[in-house]
Amino acid sequence: MHTRSRPDRQIRQTVLALGAAGPTVIATGAALDALWLLGIGVCGVIAAVIAAMVTEFVYRP
């Protein structure tokens, strides 16, 4: 089993938090019929995807 260093775990937790927050905000925006919340949620999901891709490029070249 391979152990991860603390910075690796923090980056992974940040990406997972962004990934979980985006759909939550999107669902809230859809329920409240608020387009600005939908936009913020989509931006959060896109930020999570970009952060995950950058992390992969930097840590696993």
Side-chain angles (χ1 to χ4, degrees), residues 1 7 11 17 27-28 30 37 40-43 45 52 54 60:
M1 181 167 210
I11 290 170
T28 304
L37 277 177
I40 290 173
V42 169
C43 287
V45 170
V54 168
R60 295 186 184 105

Side-chain angles (χ1 to χ4, degrees), residues 38-53:
L38 287 171
I40 290 173
V42 169
C43 287
V45 170
I46 291 171
V49 169
I50 291 172
M53 288 177 9

Side-chain angles (χ1 to χ4, degrees), residues 10-61:
Q10 288 176 343
I11 290 170
R12 187 173 194 278
Q13 288 175 349
T14 302
V15 169
L16 290 175
L18 281 172
T24 304
V25 175
I26 289 172
T28 304
L32 296 177
D33 225 11
L35 289 178
W36 64 275
L37 277 177
L38 287 171
I40 290 173
V42 169
C43 287
V45 170
I46 291 171
V49 169
I50 291 172
M53 288 177 9
V54 168
T55 301
E56 286 296 318
F57 288 144
V58 169
Y59 285 106
R60 295 186 184 105

